[in-house]
Amino acid sequence: MSARPIDGTQIGRQIREEVRREVQELARAGVKPGLAAVLVGNNPASKVYVRNKMKTCEDLGIHSEFVHLEESASTERLLETIDSLNHDLRIDGILVQLPLPRQIDEQAILLAIDPNKDVDGLHPINAGNLLLGRRALTPCTPSGVVEILKREQIPIAGRHVVIIGRSNLVGKPQALLLLRENATVTICHSRTVDLPQVARQGDLLIAAIGRAAMITSDYVKPGAVVIDVGINRVEGEALDRLLEFDPALRPAYERNRSESKNYLLTGDVHVSSVSRVASALTPVPGGVGPLTIAMLMKNTVLAARSRRQV
C-alpha cells in the first residue's frame, strides 16, 4: 500500500481562479477588494510570505498595500498603523505577519484589528462566532484543510478526526470547522497520554504539532487520510539526523542543494513510514501550504462583500 499524494497546489489554483472571477464580478459593480499586509522587522521567512501574498493579490486583481515597520517598532507605533488601516476605505482585509518582535504585545495588536477586516480570523469576535456556528472570517489554514477534504471528495460527516496540535491558529479552529461538517473530533497535544494509540483511532489524522517527521506509522490507522499541516525549516545537524530518520526526504534536499539552499522544509509526518499505511497524504511543500494563501484571498473578497454589502 502506498498513500495517494494530494495535490494542494492544484486545489489552491482552483480556488484562486474562483477568486479571480469574483474579483472581476465585483469590478463590474465598481468594487475592488483591498488587502493590507503589515510586516515588522526583517525576518527572512516573513518577508517571503508577505511578498508571495502581495504577488498573489496583484495576479488576482486585488488592491494591496505593504506596510513595513522597523524591527524596533513599539506596540503603540503598530497600533497607530492598525488604526489607520481600520479607517482606510480602500482596505477590506488587514494581515499582520506573525511572529512579531518580542517587545510588541501581540494580543493587543490582534484585538485592535477591525473584526470585519480580520482576514486571519484571529479576533475574539470571529473566534467566538466560529464557536457559536455563526458566519465569521475563519483562519486560512484550517479553512484550507476543509477545502482539500471536500474537493478530494473525502467524507467528513460521521468520521472520526484526530487533530494533533491545539494552537489558536490551527488546532482549535480546525476542530470547530470540522464539527460544523458533522465530524467527531479529538484534539491531542504534548500532554496526551499514549498519543500514538489515540491518533490511531482517526479515520482522518491532521498533524499540526510543529515537529519535523514526528508522526510515524505508529500514529496512523491503516487506510486513514493524513493531512500534514506542519512546516519546519531543518538545517545543520538536525537535518543530518532527519535525513537518516526519513530517507524519502533526501531527493528534496538534493534539489535544494542544487539551488544552494542548505536546509529542508518538511512537515510533521515521517513520509516513508506513513505512506505505507495511509490511503492519502498531503505532501510538504505542495499540500496545505498553497491553500493558506488561496483562502486568504477568498477571505479578502468575503470581507469586501460583507463590508460593502455587495
Side-chain angles (χ1 to χ4, degrees):
M1 181 178 184
S2 181
R4 172 177 65 85
I6 296 173
D7 189 351
T9 300
Q10 175 61 27
I11 297 170
R13 190 176 298 121
Q14 292 171 3
I15 294 171
R16 288 198 304 274
E17 288 307 312
E18 293 164 9
V19 171
R20 187 192 309 278
R21 290 193 291 272
E22 275 205 80
V23 171
Q24 291 170 348
E25 177 187 333
L26 287 170
R28 290 191 286 272
V31 172
K32 186 168 187 173
L35 175 68
V38 182
L39 174 65
V40 183
N42 295 293
N43 180 291
S46 292
K47 290 174 76 173
V48 170
Y49 294 149
V50 171
R51 185 166 62 244
N52 288 341
K53 290 163 185 173
M54 297 295 94
K55 184 178 179 181
T56 304
C57 283
E58 181 180 357
D59 177 58
L60 298 182
I62 294 172
H63 169 69
S64 65
E65 292 191 19
F66 174 43
V67 181
H68 190 187
L69 302 181
E70 65 278 6
E71 183 79 28
S72 60
S74 64
T75 298
E76 291 70 25
R77 173 75 178 89
L78 185 50
L79 286 172
E80 291 172 1
T81 299
I82 298 300
D83 184 64
S84 175
L85 293 172
N86 282 341
H87 290 90
D88 191 333
L89 297 179
R90 301 167 300 171
I91 298 301
D92 300 291
I94 300 171
L95 163 74
V96 177
Q97 186 65 43
L98 303 177
L100 291 168
R102 295 173 64 180
Q103 78 275 8
I104 293 180
D105 184 341
E106 183 175 298
Q107 287 304 310
I109 300 305
L110 296 179
L111 281 168
I113 298 172
D114 181 344
N116 296 309
K117 297 187 177 188
D118 169 38
V119 286
D120 265 338
L122 296 177
H123 193 284
I125 288 179
N126 283 319
N129 282 333
L130 174 60
L131 177 65
L132 296 172
R134 300 173 61 183
R135 189 171 183 272
L137 291 169
T138 56
C140 301
T141 298
S143 297
V145 169
V146 174
E147 287 290 337
I148 286 175
L149 297 174
K150 289 183 173 181
R151 291 171 189 252
E152 288 291 300
Q153 299 183 335
I154 295 168
I156 304 174
R159 307 294 292 282
H160 186 186
V161 182
V162 175
I163 302 169
I164 304 179
R166 55 178 169 177
S167 71
N168 293 332
L169 192 61
V170 179
K172 292 175 185 175
Q174 187 71 79
L176 294 170
L177 286 168
L178 290 168
L179 285 170
R180 182 186 284 182
E181 300 295 330
N182 299 310
T184 298
V185 181
T186 298
I187 299 181
C188 300
H189 46 78
S190 59
R191 300 288 182 89
T192 299
V193 176
D194 198 353
L195 179 55
Q197 189 274 331
V198 177
R200 283 197 302 273
Q201 298 176 33
D203 305 305
L204 289 136
L205 179 64
I206 299 175
I209 198 76
R211 291 182 59 184
M214 172 183 163
I215 307 303
T216 64
S217 60
D218 292 339
Y219 293 74
V220 182
K221 177 181 179 179
V225 173
V226 179
I227 306 294
D228 191 353
V229 179
I231 183 76
N232 308 285
R233 178 175 170 136
V234 188
E235 52 194 331
E237 292 182 6
L239 177 56
D240 294 336
R241 291 193 298 270
L242 178 63
L243 293 173
E244 183 176 353
F245 183 52
D246 194 352
L249 296 173
R250 186 164 291 279
Y253 174 58
E254 294 300 335
R255 287 194 296 272
N256 272 11
R257 284 188 61 190
S258 68
E259 300 172 6
S260 299
K261 299 175 183 176
N262 293 314
Y263 63 87
L264 188 63
L265 293 178
T266 186
D268 293 346
V269 170
H270 187 289
V271 178
S272 55
S273 172
V274 168
S275 291
R276 294 194 295 268
V277 180
S279 62
L281 171 65
T282 57
V284 176
V288 175
L291 273 295
T292 299
I293 290 183
M295 297 308 293
L296 175 66
M297 300 299 122
K298 188 169 183 175
N299 272 358
T300 301
V301 171
L302 285 172
R305 284 189 178 279
S306 177
R307 191 172 72 85
R308 306 178 193 221
Q309 297 184 336
V310 292

